[in-house]
Amino acid sequence: MSQSRLTALILLSPWILSFLVFWLFPLVYSLVMGFTDYRLVARDWTWVGFDNYRSLLQDGAFRSSIENTLVFVLGTVPVTTILALGMALLVNRQFPGRGLFRAGFFMPSITAIVVIALIFTNLYQRGGYIATLAEMVGVTPPQHGWLYNEGTALYAIMAMDVWMAVGYYMLIFLAGLKSIPEELYEAARIQGAGQLRQFFSITLPLLRPVALFILVINSIKSFQVFIEIFVMTKGKFDTASMVYFVYETGLTTAFQFGYASAAAYVLFVIIALFSILQFALLRRRQSLW
Amino acid sequence: MKAVIIAVLAVTFLAGAAGAATTIEWWQFWTDPAVKPVIESMVADFEKANPDIKVKLTDLTWANGHEKIVLAFSSGTAPDVVELGSDWIAQFAANDQLADIGPMVSVDSAQFQGWGLSTYKGAVYACPWILGTRVLFGNRDLLTRAGFDTAFYPINWAQLKDAAKRIQALGSNLYGWGSNTAEKHRLYKKYLPFFWSAGAQIFSDDGSMCVVASSKAVQALRTYQELHDSAGYVDTQRGIEDAFLDGKVGFIISGDWLLKRIELENRKTNLLSTFVPGPTYPGRSFLGGEYLAISKDSDNKDAAMRLIRFVTSPENQVKFCKANRSANPSSLAAQDDPYFSSSLHLQTFIAAIRTAEHPPVDPDWVYIEDILEKAVEDAIFGSHLAGDALLEARYKIEELKGLR
Amino acid sequence: MVRTIIRAAGRYLVLGVVLVIMLFPLAWMFRVAFMSPGSSIALGSLFTGDFTLGNFTDLFVSGSIGRYLFNSAFVAAVVTLGNIIFCFMVAYVLARRAGFWMKAFFATVVLVLMIPAHILIVPLYVLMLKTRMYDTYWALILPWLVYPIGIFLVKQYLEAIPPSMEEAARIDGAGEARILLTVVMPLCKPALAVLAIQAFFTNWNSFLFPFIFVSREELRTLPVGLAHYQGQQAIDWQHLMAGSAVAVLPILVLFVFLQRQIVSGITAGGIKQ
């Protein structure tokens, strides 16, 4: 091997090793495990083909975890995106104190999710701040708090998630807004277009790629929601997400590695399909313009 | 000359062998500062009485102890003696991880209570050590405020519901019933006493059907639901205990650790303790406990058994119970110790354990637990009817056990 | 004139409301962290309540939070350093060399970026068990030494820099290692700074894998330690918030000083897409 080839290989080795050991191997291993009944408690395992997948279809807990995850994604992603855009518009122009507001809006995004989940566990308590706020606007909070209630627990977590994420996506929108050339707005103003018209004709269309990017990465992240659920409800009250299902089935009590691996792959396929769907739908709309 | 050398070698070899101590490993869960010294002194006493055995003690926490034990068995590094919760035994036994100790314990079986929980498919896999049950605790001050006699205690569901509602009606942030939130492996344990007191069972006597949806079971769940809806203070186990000890809740179901808390925290709760009531008196509570098992792959089973016998002897059980304020030694001789008749509340526990019911010893119990738990949660926190929730549980359990 | 004032006032009002909503929970956390245990945490008490350092001392003395803090800092530092070195190495090759294999390797980077991490939960757990890395610092560090996003970042940055300086150094007879260290790395400082910040933040706040791979108390990082505090049920809100404050404070301090780099790191990724 030539000297430079060898050097290249050495330089690439950290990634090659990392990829092989911590990504490729687990991916394949997990796929194989999904076809076995491998459990930690048992002394050995057997090949069961598609049995795990068949059982998953009939597993009420699995089905409801898919349902909960879909509700979570469809509920938080659009709302977060719209609110993030709104916030970006608010702090886009220069004004005194802009940096402070921008930083303040962004702060929840850099705080560890565990901490936020702990804080909100208290805020959502029976008699807590959010309950008091609700009563002030005439909404009766659930008897035992927002989290100890199947009807509201998931939505409470979703609201917290939106709150946590908006700052992050606001920054991305801000960068997108900055990349729109001023001349376009000038031209529009000369032609007599008002602010609203400018927004819909210039800003939105040109933000489309950024918005698409945000929708896709936010969706992928949201499909994997786990920490909040683990800290706040341990999956109870109809809040178990798919990743929580994988964790609970595979790494607690019965340690059913095979079954959990199969579930993880189903989640993977769902995420992939969803992302492809998003790309297809949103890309096509652009060409219609 | 050669003979002398051989003789010397032989003697030194034998002496060495005789003097070499076997080391056995014991994993146990009692790590809190009030109790750990007792465990350590027990081990020291044992080593003194058995100079050929050394004991290596390892601590486990309730948070991840089960996981550690599972990991140890799967990687072949399990200890000789391991403390197991009663509901874990069947799964380990079914997976061939525990030694069959039947032959070793046949002599002393009559002196202990609780063998039912450690017998699987006719073989015995663990020795009962400290048992546990649940009783109904009440706050006498709140009862008096609600107009009850100082000697009152609820003897059936009707009286319990009535008392809880009357305490709830006292208003001003007072609640009648400490109701568990959906905590894994805790909520259903509060329902089961109601379930068993009503005479319901999980499986039919011949084991061919799952009968969790019987009318008795539904009645029991409805009663629990009523308590929860009309007078419930919902929180984690710790939360409702805190509130109860603070005098804000009228009744809770709890175990003997509550007595320990009261003593260690110097609480002045005017306590009432009685059996968890059923539709009639008395109710049947939940039997569980800590057991000591020997791992199948252990090389020192005899030494392990000696340690177990020592720890579970009546004297050592009483010593342990005194330190931990436990109220349910498994040794019948220990149960008769005057320590337990010294307090009304300890007596309640001793009496309760004699009539308590235990869950089926089934390796799938973990999954059945989950199913039952889901049913109770759906009925209490979701909007399912008790009957529907239990029926769904029945179908799932029968599916799981292949009974359909 | 009046209209502009009203409009400005309106804008500041909206901004103010949003700011309060965004910051109140964090402010609440910091306030409660300094209140004595058992005291009321109702809204009024936030103003009238006391101010004590007791919770923090409790946590450091009997609560192991010092250990958690050390673990978080140690692991994050090692991971960040590793990422700086390794991502740089890999990105250099991918940026400067062409050909089928380079494209293939880069494809693996992009692939990994797109695969959700949850699929690794079970197999990595089993891997850690079998290699006896479970419950050791190795498990907390090794899988995260080369973040694909890091490779991405540095590669893009390098591609925008012409290789003229490296070629000049090569003509002068300098060895590859010397060139990398003395010529290219200094050129990459901005990208490496962004990478370091991203790596540090991501690792400091991470919970899922540190939680799964470690069970001993001595090895827990801050987020994992906090979750266990909560699980213990013997802890009150004041102490829990004090622990949370310890977990959040270093990040907030870093944020104040490194705001620009943090923001540019996030937006760089967004725009390039």
Side-chain angles (χ1 to χ4, degrees):
Chain A
M1 193 186 290
S2 71
Q3 168 77 328
S4 83
R5 270 254 182 101
L6 185 63
T7 318
L9 203 62
I10 294 175
L11 288 174
L12 282 173
S13 60
W15 173 247
I16 298 178
L17 283 172
S18 213
F19 175 70
L20 287 176
V21 175
F22 297 116
W23 280 98
L24 190 59
F25 169 71
L27 266 176
V28 174
Y29 189 39
S30 187
L31 185 62
V32 172
M33 268 201 280
F35 294 116
T36 70
D37 70 348
Y38 185 29
R39 287 172 303 151
L40 194 59
V41 273
R43 276 193 189 263
D44 64 331
W45 54 271
T46 53
W47 187 265
V48 295
F50 282 97
D51 274 359
N52 284 333
Y53 290 94
R54 261 184 286 248
S55 305
L56 281 170
L57 279 176
Q58 303 183 323
D59 191 333
F62 183 65
R63 283 202 310 264
S64 79
S65 78
I66 296 185
E67 201 183 287
N68 292 336
T69 311
L70 281 174
V71 168
F72 190 88
V73 172
L74 294 172
T76 58
V77 174
V79 176
T80 308
T81 311
I82 295 174
L83 287 179
L85 179 58
M87 272 179 158
L89 291 169
L90 260 180
V91 292
N92 193 21
R93 304 288 161 77
Q94 270 294 2
F95 61 86
R98 171 182 180 234
L100 221 72
F101 283 105
R102 205 185 54 171
F105 293 171
F106 179 61
M107 228 170 258
S109 289
I110 53 168
T111 316
I113 303 183
V114 175
V115 169
I116 293 180
L118 288 174
I119 297 176
F120 274 82
T121 306
N122 179 292
L123 296 181
Y124 277 136
Q125 262 182 351
R126 161 197 42 234
Y129 287 96
I130 301 193
T132 325
L133 238 119
E135 277 167 5
M136 288 203 300
V137 291
V139 173
T140 5
Q143 191 184 3
H144 306 294
W146 302 88
L147 293 175
Y148 291 161
N149 180 318
E150 270 183 28
T152 55
L154 189 59
Y155 295 104
I157 298 183
M158 284 161 63
M160 179 188 86
D161 235 81
V162 170
W163 174 89
M164 182 171 34
V166 272
Y168 182 83
Y169 297 111
M170 168 195 79
L171 284 185
I172 302 186
F173 266 129
L174 273 178
L177 284 172
K178 216 193 298 179
S179 73
I180 300 178
E182 244 328 285
E183 301 89 62
L184 289 177
Y185 290 112
E186 293 265 340
R189 233 170 289 144
I190 291 173
Q191 292 186 17
Q195 289 236 334
L196 218 61
R197 193 79 163 76
Q198 288 175 43
F199 178 72
F200 282 105
S201 310
I202 301 175
T203 319
L204 269 191
L206 286 176
L207 278 181
R208 195 168 287 276
V210 179
L212 176 63
F213 173 70
I214 289 179
L215 284 173
V216 172
I217 60 169
N218 196 1
S219 304
I220 295 181
K221 259 199 215 164
S222 302
F223 264 111
Q224 299 175 72
V225 59
F226 169 79
I227 302 177
E228 305 88 309
I229 295 167
F230 176 83
V231 173
M232 298 173 96
T233 57
K234 294 278 189 300
K236 299 292 177 183
F237 305 107
D238 213 16
T239 56
S241 66
M242 292 198 63
V243 176
Y244 192 83
F245 179 85
V246 171
Y247 160 75
E248 201 174 34
T249 324
L251 301 186
T252 65
T253 328
F255 292 92
Q256 305 173 74
F257 292 144
Y259 195 55
S261 297
Y265 261 91
V266 174
L267 175 61
F268 181 22
V269 169
I270 293 181
I271 295 182
L273 284 176
F274 199 83
S275 302
I276 294 175
L277 197 70
Q278 264 179 327
F279 265 109
L281 275 179
L282 294 164
R283 274 270 167 83
R284 196 181 304 150
R285 276 245 220 101
Q286 184 174 18
S287 65
L288 282 179
W289 280 70
Chain B
M1 194 56 204
K2 217 190 272 181
V4 175
I5 297 177
I6 292 177
V8 169
L9 283 174
V11 168
T12 40
F13 176 72
L14 285 170
T22 31
T23 311
I24 55 174
E25 272 196 76
W26 180 21
W27 288 14
Q28 56 89 35
F29 284 84
W30 301 100
T31 52
D32 92 61
V35 188
K36 185 78 196 290
V38 175
I39 302 275
E40 284 170 342
S41 87
M42 257 199 270
V43 166
D45 289 340
F46 175 77
E47 285 178 338
K48 224 180 288 171
N50 298 273
D52 56 332
I53 307 181
K54 284 251 155 287
V55 178
K56 179 160 172 276
L57 204 59
T58 302
D59 288 346
L60 296 170
T61 62
W62 292 107
N64 61 6
H66 185 212
E67 180 192 339
K68 278 204 155 114
I69 296 177
V70 173
L71 285 174
F73 274 118
S74 85
S75 61
T77 55
D80 302 281
V81 181
V82 61
E83 178 185 338
L84 295 176
S86 55
D87 43 359
W88 306 340
I89 296 175
Q91 192 165 57
F92 287 113
N95 282 297
D96 209 26
Q97 318 273 23
L98 303 177
D100 178 354
I101 57 175
M104 287 195 250
V105 298
S106 51
V107 276
D108 24 32
S109 58
Q111 298 159 21
F112 294 90
Q113 182 187 359
W115 293 107
L117 275 168
S118 58
T119 309
Y120 174 64
K121 290 215 168 117
V124 180
Y125 290 99
C127 296
W129 182 21
I130 302 294
L131 302 172
T133 187
R134 309 280 182 274
V135 305
L136 181 73
F137 286 105
N139 185 323
R140 284 221 177 275
D141 290 332
L142 288 177
L143 282 169
T144 317
R145 273 174 68 176
F148 286 92
D149 187 76
T150 45
F152 168 79
Y153 59 92
I155 61 171
N156 55 35
W157 286 346
Q159 287 194 2
L160 176 60
K161 284 191 282 188
D162 175 59
K165 286 181 192 163
R166 278 163 65 173
I167 292 180
Q168 180 82 3
L170 291 175
S172 63
N173 252 342
L174 294 173
Y175 297 81
W177 172 254
S179 194
N180 280 69
T181 179
E183 269 181 292
K184 204 167 164 101
H185 299 168
R186 269 200 223 267
L187 176 57
Y188 86 100
K189 279 188 184 154
K190 300 302 166 72
Y191 165 59
L192 282 180
F194 287 77
F195 179 85
W196 281 320
S197 301
Q201 283 170 228
I202 305 204
F203 292 108
S204 58
D205 286 326
D206 58 1
S208 66
M209 278 201 312
C210 169
V211 291
V212 284
S214 64
S215 56
K216 296 179 181 159
V218 176
Q219 253 282 28
L221 188 51
R222 287 216 191 103
T223 309
Y224 192 89
Q225 240 176 336
E226 202 182 321
L227 278 168
H228 171 97
D229 290 334
S230 63
Y233 174 86
V234 181
D235 205 339
T236 56
Q237 177 66 22
R238 172 80 192 196
I240 58 183
E241 281 174 15
D242 283 344
F244 177 76
L245 292 175
D246 286 340
K248 293 196 247 170
V249 173
F251 290 100
I252 61 168
I253 296 181
S254 188
D256 49 18
W257 62 80
L258 195 69
L259 300 174
K260 183 172 166 191
R261 263 196 81 176
I262 292 178
E263 202 176 313
L264 289 179
E265 293 173 22
N266 214 357
R267 298 280 201 156
K268 302 283 180 255
T269 326
N270 193 346
L271 204 63
L272 144 75
S273 70
T274 179
F275 291 1
V276 181
T280 57
Y281 185 81
R284 305 192 66 184
S285 187
F286 179 101
L287 177 66
E290 302 307 307
Y291 284 67
L292 294 172
I294 304 180
S295 69
K296 182 98 186 266
D297 297 336
S298 163
D299 294 323
N300 309 300
K301 295 200 178 73
D302 284 315
M305 196 62 217
R306 277 153 71 181
L307 175 64
I308 294 179
R309 278 221 181 80
F310 187 81
V311 171
T312 58
S313 69
E315 311 79 52
N316 280 321
Q317 284 199 20
V318 174
K319 213 191 284 181
F320 179 87
C321 288
K322 283 187 178 159
N324 193 42
R325 315 312 190 271
S326 289
N328 295 115
S330 62
S331 151
L332 297 172
Q335 286 177 10
D336 288 332
D337 190 283
Y339 167 69
F340 296 103
S341 30
S342 66
S343 147
L344 216 64
H345 304 303
L346 291 173
Q347 282 175 26
T348 312
F349 276 98
I350 297 274
I353 205 110
R354 297 233 164 99
T355 58
E357 172 93 42
H358 67 74
V361 184
D362 191 321
D364 291 328
W365 177 245
V366 214
Y367 308 115
I368 300 178
E369 239 180 1
D370 277 345
I371 296 173
L372 276 179
E373 227 164 40
K374 183 96 198 344
V376 178
E377 284 163 20
D378 282 344
I380 310 252
F381 296 103
S383 37
H384 293 221
L385 293 173
D388 293 340
L390 285 174
L391 199 59
E392 207 181 308
R394 174 190 157 186
Y395 288 145
K396 287 194 226 171
I397 295 177
E398 289 189 336
E399 178 89 47
L400 174 74
K401 301 299 292 179
L403 296 172
R404 317 213 94 241
Chain C
M1 185 59 198
V2 178
R3 200 180 295 172
T4 23
I5 293 183
I6 294 182
R7 204 179 298 158
R11 155 172 262 149
Y12 275 105
L13 187 65
V14 174
L15 281 168
V17 168
V18 176
L19 191 68
V20 167
I21 296 176
M22 296 309 278
L23 289 185
F24 178 73
L26 292 173
W28 179 86
M29 170 193 78
F30 277 113
R31 179 66 188 98
V32 172
F34 289 99
M35 292 172 94
S36 43
S39 56
S40 151
I41 48 181
L43 190 58
S45 318
L46 292 186
F47 297 100
T48 58
D50 62 348
F51 191 92
T52 165
L53 288 176
N55 300 326
F56 291 95
T57 46
D58 286 342
L59 287 177
F60 274 98
V61 167
S62 42
S64 317
I65 208 169
R67 182 78 203 195
Y68 302 157
L69 189 58
F70 168 76
N71 289 333
S72 278
F74 173 67
V75 171
V78 175
V79 167
T80 303
L81 193 63
N83 266 281
I84 293 177
I85 299 173
F86 297 132
C87 290
F88 172 70
M89 284 163 65
V90 176
Y92 177 72
V93 176
L94 292 179
R96 291 293 182 243
R97 293 175 71 103
F100 167 74
W101 282 108
M102 295 305 125
K103 285 216 190 80
F105 284 126
F106 187 60
T108 64
V109 176
V110 175
L111 188 71
V112 166
L113 265 176
M114 297 202 304
I115 296 177
H118 76 277
I119 205 136
L120 302 177
I121 296 177
V122 174
L124 278 188
Y125 181 78
V126 179
L127 179 69
M128 292 300 168
L129 283 182
K130 300 262 189 239
T131 54
R132 306 228 184 261
M133 288 202 285
Y134 175 77
D135 223 8
T136 65
Y137 279 112
W138 296 112
L140 289 172
I141 295 176
L142 280 185
W144 324 114
L145 284 175
V146 197
Y147 283 133
I149 190 87
I151 299 178
F152 207 83
L153 254 165
V154 182
K155 172 177 179 279
Q156 294 210 316
Y157 190 81
L158 266 177
E159 276 172 345
I161 300 178
S164 42
M165 290 196 68
E166 297 140 50
E167 273 157 23
R170 216 167 279 139
I171 291 174
D172 281 349
E176 275 305 303
R178 167 91 58 88
I179 296 178
L180 272 178
L181 282 173
T182 57
V183 177
V184 191
M185 221 186 212
L187 279 176
C188 282
K189 262 212 221 121
L192 290 179
V194 171
L195 164 60
I197 293 171
Q198 285 269 45
F200 189 83
F201 273 57
T202 308
N203 193 274
W204 180 276
N205 285 343
S206 70
F207 175 79
L208 179 59
F209 288 101
F211 173 70
I212 296 176
F213 290 157
V214 146
S215 93
R216 274 186 290 157
E217 201 184 5
E218 306 87 68
L219 282 156
R220 292 180 195 154
T221 56
L222 276 168
V224 177
L226 281 175
H228 275 110
Y229 275 165
Q230 182 219 29
Q232 273 169 33
Q233 297 187 339
I235 198 153
D236 50 49
W237 287 112
Q238 288 82 355
H239 281 97
L240 203 55
M241 290 302 109
S244 305
V246 173
V248 167
L249 209 54
I251 293 290
L252 283 184
V253 167
L254 279 175
F255 176 66
V256 165
F257 285 109
L258 300 171
Q259 217 187 105
R260 185 166 315 160
Q261 286 91 328
I262 295 172
V263 172
S264 86
I266 295 169
T267 56
I271 292 309
K272 284 298 177 180
Q273 294 285 330

